Amino acid sequence: MKVAFLDRDGTIIEDYEDELWRNITEPIFIDGSIEGLKIIKQKGYEIIIITNQYLIGEKIISIEQYREFTNKLVNRLKDNGIEILDIFYCPHSREGNCNCMKPKDGLVRMALEKYPEIELRDSFIVGDSLCDLELGERLGIKTFKIGLGKEEGKTLFIESLKDIGDIKNG
């Protein structure tokens, strides 16, 4: 199975300064992200969201706030005809030194354990931060970085998810 491992905040939906997340209750999709997710699905990839949510561990948001927000996100995607295979998140604080916070590969390892049919070599990662880039490098798979830059090793720079249309199958 081919998988697109996608970061959430700053990749699919708007990201905010940490403290502002206390009051964010509705996902705001980044321009082009819905279109990009549809393209990814049309190209035969399953979508797994992998997201650091240290805001939970640092008591900025509660696990209930995270779950309510995530349910709204998943439902909005379904309303747009996009099914997400799964979501893996790290709730630990940044000081926790856990194995699941990106750029460590724990979230991807959890996905591989739950879905052993994932073919990492045929999969890719998309994110907007250095930790997403480093995770892609650690796994040795194609990585798309949202933001300015140029092709660098297995990393391709794109403006938004809609630019993912240039990926090749296989």
Side-chain angles (χ1 to χ4, degrees):
M1 166 172 49
K2 301 185 303 185
V3 172
F5 292 99
L6 301 177
D7 175 50
R8 190 188 83 173
D9 308 332
T11 300
I12 299 172
I13 60 169
E14 294 291 337
D15 197 1
Y16 305 93
E17 291 181 31
D18 292 352
E19 288 297 321
L20 292 178
W21 276 103
R22 291 184 194 279
N23 302 314
I24 304 298
T25 59
E26 296 291 328
I28 306 295
F29 289 91
I30 294 172
D31 286 343
S33 64
I34 296 289
E35 181 184 344
L37 292 169
K38 287 180 179 181
I39 291 167
I40 289 167
K41 292 294 282 185
Q42 288 166 359
K43 289 186 170 283
Y45 290 85
E46 293 294 337
I47 295 171
I48 293 178
I49 295 173
I50 52 174
T51 179
N52 288 342
Q53 292 297 317
Y54 60 82
L55 300 175
I56 298 167
E58 295 177 14
K59 309 273 189 260
I60 295 171
I61 64 169
S62 68
I63 189 70
E64 292 79 19
Q65 283 173 291
Y66 168 79
R67 288 182 179 143
E68 286 175 23
F69 186 88
T70 300
N71 286 338
K72 288 178 183 178
L73 172 70
V74 169
N75 287 332
R76 291 257 186 87
L77 291 172
K78 282 181 185 173
D79 291 345
N80 281 281
I82 300 164
E83 290 287 330
I84 300 296
L85 179 62
D86 214 329
I87 299 173
F88 294 90
Y89 68 99
C90 171
H92 306 111
S93 72
R94 288 173 280 196
E95 288 76 38
N97 198 28
C98 64
N99 289 322
C100 54
M101 185 171 289
K102 298 180 292 180
K104 293 183 181 175
D105 64 2
L107 296 175
V108 173
R109 297 285 160 219
M110 286 181 222
L112 290 168
E113 195 170 297
K114 185 171 180 181
Y115 304 101
E117 64 275 20
I118 292 173
E119 293 289 344
L120 259 188
R121 71 180 177 277
D122 296 329
S123 301
F124 63 89
I125 291 177
V126 183
D128 68 316
S129 68
L130 186 58
C131 71
D132 301 306
L133 238 157
E134 290 173 1
L135 175 59
E137 288 173 11
R138 176 171 280 156
L139 296 171
I141 64 175
K142 186 181 286 188
T143 304
F144 292 90
K145 166 90 169 53
I146 293 179
L148 298 176
K150 58 186 173 70
E151 188 171 339
E152 195 175 296
K154 288 187 177 249
T155 301
L156 305 167
F157 289 79
I158 57 177
E159 279 187 51
S160 76
L161 270 180
K162 74 175 185 295
D163 299 325
I164 211 84
D166 296 333
I167 63 173
K168 307 279 187 274
N169 280 331

